[in-house]
Amino acid sequence: MSELSHYRNIGIFAHVDAGKTTTTERILKLTGKIHKTGEVHDGESTTDFMEQEAERGITIQSAATTCFWKDHRFNIIDTPGHVDFTVEVYRSLKVLDGGVGVFCGSGGVEPQSETNWRYANDSEVARVIFVNKLDRMGADFYRVVKQIKTVLGANPLVMTLPIGIEDDFVGVVDILEQKAYIWDDTGLPENFEVTDVPADMVDKVAEYREQLIETAVEQDDDLMMAYMDGEEPSIADLKRCIRKGTIALDFFPTLCGSAFKNKGVQNVLDAVVDYLPSPTEVEPQELADEETGEPTGEVALVSVDEPFRALAFKIMDDRFGALTFIRIYSGKLNKGDTILNSFTGKTERVGRMVEMHANDRTELTSAQAGDILAIVGMKAVKTGHTLCDPKHPCTLEPMIFPEPVISIAVSPKDKGSVEKMGIAIGKMVAEDPTFQVETDEDSGETILKGMGELHLDIKVDILKRTYGVELEVGQPQVAYRETITQPVEDSYTHKKQSGGSGQFGKIDYRIRPGEPGSGFVFKSVVVGGNVPKEFFPAIEKGFKSMMDHGVLAGFPVLDVEIELYDGGFHAVDSSAVAFEIAAKGAFRQSIPKAGAQLIEPIMKVDVFTPDDHVGDVIGDLNRRRGMIKDQEAGVTGVRIKADVPLSEMFGYIGSLRTMTSGRGQFSMEFSHYMPCPMNVAEKVIAETKERNAKK
């Protein structure tokens, strides 16, 4: 077990195509080889690397790989770039202590990197920045640094400068050490020499070095005073300050290179060791109350001596069986231990524990605070569950996943696929918490729900290719909801007399529109004993059970607040059941009076288009009932931000490509619900009723 201060749990995140996987591969190559042989023989590394690559095409996508660099142990988590899968980024950030943000040297800061950066800010994760692909046409390191300031509002601390650009990119200057690292043309990462700074860069390096020192010494008053008196701090002192500022998120050390050409990756690994936090240097995870999920104010201290606490953050199915990836926050875990899943209340015995290495798996007998590993064959564990010591039950702050906004109906093409589909879907739902499945009871169809068209396309593709299930796929359906627009005060009495004891419950209540996003809120302000307290839960249950089916078209109802203020009961005939039935009747009676209204999901759409097609794209978004929020000109085109109803965005990628001769790109994510215009609502209600009638 290595010392906790030598651990680095990091993630690599970036926009699609900024070179994330290549960067991860290069890191594994550099560290994996060093870990194995201790030296690299010429030419040997590339060949055997490719064979492993072939077998390991998937491990690089795995949730975590462990590798070593300069006596430090890196647990690297790969994150996808595409927006339909930002949940992956979100859940990875949850268990990471630091990250490497990769930006493309020519594309710069793209929409996706913005979303991921925002998630990382929310999770307060320290990062170093790697500006990649400086060998590409149109690459410009200084422009990307400027975008990081303007678009992300972040403070990049430039640590290395590129020597040459595009085809002439040969290496980097380390500003702190004032040394140039220059690689030869073999493309091997270890073939570099350290020389003096090229003569034509001396002034630029001096200018950036001054900025670097000035920013760093702000972290230490004594050094700052000495620096003002003309005394330059030592490199060790500067590194200490940069580390402190990075962990405090005051700035982000920024490096440059080309992962593909193996230039500059070592400097990134050194920066991870020097500046990113170890597990003990980040704020510990909060513990939550098991009933309410509210923070209790206690934390899971990162220490081996505390009780065992871990978070399951990813479930993966591969040829070795079901893997549950966990991050251990405190305590130790040994093979054969019995641990409690505080969500299900069930205990499980830990059979096999494995750690992913750059190119194989190692069986573990024990693990400790700070480790990221996988347990094989856990039963009822899902993403976001807390695993803990049965003697010290606790719940770590849970993960919150967005609700799906789009659904499609699927049915297997032949009888043989029915069972296969059931098993496959079960595995897929366990792996991805934003992918949900339900069976339509009336029609028997299977409904898949997800975060966007692409998300569902990929799920259907996995079913076909990985599991061999051929499907008939229906039209995508939007997750409409219903709500109310005006308050209503009403009364409802349920009474039934049929010999013997009867049923009686009377409630007086107010129903009013809730705050957007509040869901269902029930409160009671009954004074005196007109409705005994023990019946409140039954009344709440009755109202709540009706929220799933609205009065307009049967869609779930959102954002309703119900206040019980009076009522009446009968000493003999009143029961919980009677009051529950009264609440259901009350809902049916009063919601139509409260101005029921259909609401639809609005997506935050981010479109990138070349200059000459801006007018077409904006006109098209307006036709789709979009609200243009913002447009900004970039180097290679214009980015348009808009809010557009999801129902109008089906097949958008096709139209966008046609309008922009194939050069447009877009991403979208769910933003909020908004009322449907009257004509749209009428059409949706009519279609839904017709569909239900057919069933």
Side-chain angles (χ1 to χ4, degrees), residues 490-495 505-509 567 581-590:
D490 215 341
S491 169
Y492 188 90
T493 307
H494 167 69
K495 60 171 182 275
K506 173 176 187 288
I507 50 175
D508 297 340
Y509 53 92
I581 294 172
K584 288 179 175 172
F587 191 90
R588 276 192 294 269
Q589 166 182 297
S590 303

Side-chain angles (χ1 to χ4, degrees), residues 23 128 142 144 178-179 229 236-237 257 391 484 555 641 659:
T23 306
V128 299
Y142 301 99
V144 179
Q178 300 182 64
K179 290 270 183 269
D229 294 341
D237 276 339
K391 296 195 202 62
I484 55 171
F555 292 111
K641 296 186 178 181
M659 277 184 293

Side-chain angles (χ1 to χ4, degrees), residues 512-529:
R512 50 178 164 252
E515 288 293 308
S518 62
F520 169 77
V521 179
F522 175 82
K523 49 186 183 204
S524 165
V525 292
V526 177
V527 189

Side-chain angles (χ1 to χ4, degrees), residues 29-192:
K29 180 172 178 181
L30 277 165
T31 54
K33 294 306 291 182
I34 291 164
H35 181 53
K36 219 160 53 188
T37 54
E39 58 182 314
V40 177
H41 297 296
D42 286 327
E44 193 190 280
S45 56
T46 29
T47 51
D48 58 11
F49 182 69
M50 287 325 289
E51 286 162 22
Q52 298 159 4
E53 208 26 67
E55 294 159 34
R56 240 197 25 229
I58 145 180
T59 325
I60 289 179
Q61 262 68 55
S62 86
T65 58
T66 303
C67 54
F68 292 82
W69 180 255
K70 298 198 173 167
D71 289 346
H72 284 64
R73 171 196 180 114
F74 289 9
N75 291 322
I76 300 177
I77 293 187
D78 196 36
T79 64
H82 198 284
V83 75
D84 279 9
F85 310 104
T86 32
V87 55
E88 292 276 347
V89 179
Y90 162 76
R91 68 169 161 203
S92 304
L93 285 166
K94 187 92 179 130
V95 297
L96 293 175
D97 304 324
V100 179
V102 181
F103 294 97
C104 171
S106 60
V109 176
E110 295 165 284
Q112 222 42 78
S113 18
E114 235 177 293
T115 308
N116 292 346
W117 193 262
R118 197 176 67 234
Y119 276 142
N121 286 343
D122 293 345
S123 304
E124 297 183 355
V125 170
R127 280 146 281 171
V128 299
I129 292 172
F130 177 49
V131 178
N132 188 20
K133 297 197 178 182
L134 288 182
D135 56 319
R136 291 252 314 247
M137 284 291 293
D140 181 344
F141 174 68
Y142 301 99
R143 189 185 78 230
V144 179
V145 168
K146 196 169 151 200
Q147 282 185 328
I148 290 168
K149 288 181 187 157
T150 53
V151 180
L152 300 179
N155 185 6
L157 184 68
V158 176
M159 308 291 296
T160 62
L161 291 177
I163 305 171
I165 200 74
E166 296 183 1
D167 288 346
D168 305 326
F169 175 65
V170 290
V172 301
V173 174
D174 181 320
I175 298 176
L176 206 54
E177 312 265 356
Q178 300 182 64
K179 290 270 183 269
Y181 290 72
I182 295 180
W183 279 263
D184 65 15
D185 293 339
T186 57
L188 293 172
E190 58 284 350
N191 289 359
F192 65 89

